[in-house]
Amino acid sequence: MGPEGTPVLITIEGIDGSGKSTLLSSLGELLADLDPLFTREPGATWVGASVRRAIAERMDPITEALLFCADHAAHIEGVIRPALDAGRLVISDRYSDSRFAYQPVVLDGVLPDPLQWLRQIHEGWSIRPDRTFLLVLPVEDAVARLDPAKQREYFENAGILERVQENYLDLAARDPARFVIVDALLKKDEVAEFIAGEIRTSARSSQSRPRA
Ligand code: TYD
């Protein structure tokens, strides 16, 4: 068991440029006493390298989506489940909602109902997060924050990110008990302290529950 009770899975979501990286490093300091396991998608296992290659080479969208799902499966079995079983608090930078928000934009016109297809792929083995923090901000502010020196993934354009953010907000509206929407334009310290406080509360009040 974790220091405060049962293990908890927290996920952090938001469009590119929403400030997740800065937030994650602040949470590392603010929550150090809880000894959380920080992890991420894609790329917590070697499967992530094939995902990045598929994005860079613009593989067909079905291949790309399935690689993101494979990365998730490897992440769950290799990192998330063992940590939860060991009683750790787990905080993941991106998780299934990234698939549910990004891939429907890429799969639009390729499949009749991309979101339903993606949900079915996850069913029966994925682990539902206990809490998901969604960083929201105007897309133009997010794009302005992207590092111009870094090569951009093709997702990182305003038109796509606008639709990705709409998808995120729909997901949040359908699952208000899990999602916490956070204004990413607030001061960085304020965002980090608010989320750290909420994570502490979740870690304290969690109950044992089936995880499949
Ligand atoms: P990320 O590693 O967060 O971005 P960065 O390279 O800037 O650190 O994620 C890479 C990109 O992949 C990002 O644009 C979001 C996208 N993505 C998906 O489209 N689907 C997914 O399931 C995940 C996890 C990420």
Side-chain angles (χ1 to χ4, degrees):
M1 287 299 106
E4 313 268 2
T6 52
V8 169
L9 173 60
I10 303 287
T11 62
I12 313 285
E13 297 281 357
I15 56 174
D16 302 75
S18 58
K20 286 188 297 93
S21 309
T22 318
L23 169 65
L24 266 297
S25 67
S26 305
L27 291 180
E29 287 170 27
L30 292 169
L31 297 173
D33 58 303
L34 299 181
D35 189 28
L37 176 79
F38 285 94
T39 184
R40 63 174 303 168
E41 290 189 10
T45 73
W46 63 263
V47 185
S50 38
V51 179
R52 291 195 187 279
R53 182 167 165 192
I55 300 173
E57 294 181 16
R58 298 292 313 265
M59 287 290 282
D60 79 277
I62 303 261
T63 306
E64 183 185 281
L66 291 173
L67 283 171
F68 273 119
C69 293
D71 179 64
H72 182 58
H75 188 207
I76 292 216
E77 289 317 310
V79 179
I80 303 253
R81 199 185 301 279
L84 292 173
D85 286 349
R88 300 280 300 273
L89 166 66
V90 179
I91 302 178
S92 186
D93 176 0
R94 297 197 181 283
Y95 194 76
S96 307
D97 295 302
S98 282
R99 237 115 39 239
F100 302 151
Y102 280 78
Q103 267 60 59
V105 178
V106 182
L107 292 167
D108 187 21
V110 177
L111 292 172
D113 188 344
L115 180 57
Q116 197 205 2
W117 182 77
L118 289 157
R119 284 198 187 282
Q120 274 172 0
I121 292 174
H122 285 70
E123 237 167 64
W125 56 271
S126 185
I127 297 175
R128 188 182 140 85
D130 296 289
R131 234 40 256 277
T132 298
F133 295 91
L134 174 59
L135 300 177
V136 174
L137 76 176
V139 170
E140 64 262 29
D141 292 289
V143 171
R145 285 180 185 186
L146 293 174
D147 182 353
K150 223 180 112 189
Q151 200 194 347
R152 293 197 178 181
E153 275 130 12
Y154 71 91
F155 306 116
E156 296 181 346
N157 85 59
I160 291 183
L161 293 180
E162 196 76 61
R163 293 172 65 198
V164 171
Q165 183 152 272
E166 277 170 27
N167 288 343
Y168 267 133
L169 290 169
D170 281 350
L171 294 167
R174 283 188 221 173
D175 196 354
R178 172 165 67 91
F179 274 91
V180 180
I181 296 180
V182 181
D183 178 353
L185 287 184
L186 292 172
K187 285 205 201 96
K188 290 189 167 92
D189 289 355
E190 228 176 305
V191 171
E193 274 156 30
F194 168 71
I195 293 179
E198 292 282 307
I199 292 176
R200 274 184 198 285
T201 308
S202 300
R204 265 198 299 270
S205 64
S206 69
Q207 303 280 318
S208 262
R209 66 186 81 80
R211 293 218 149 261

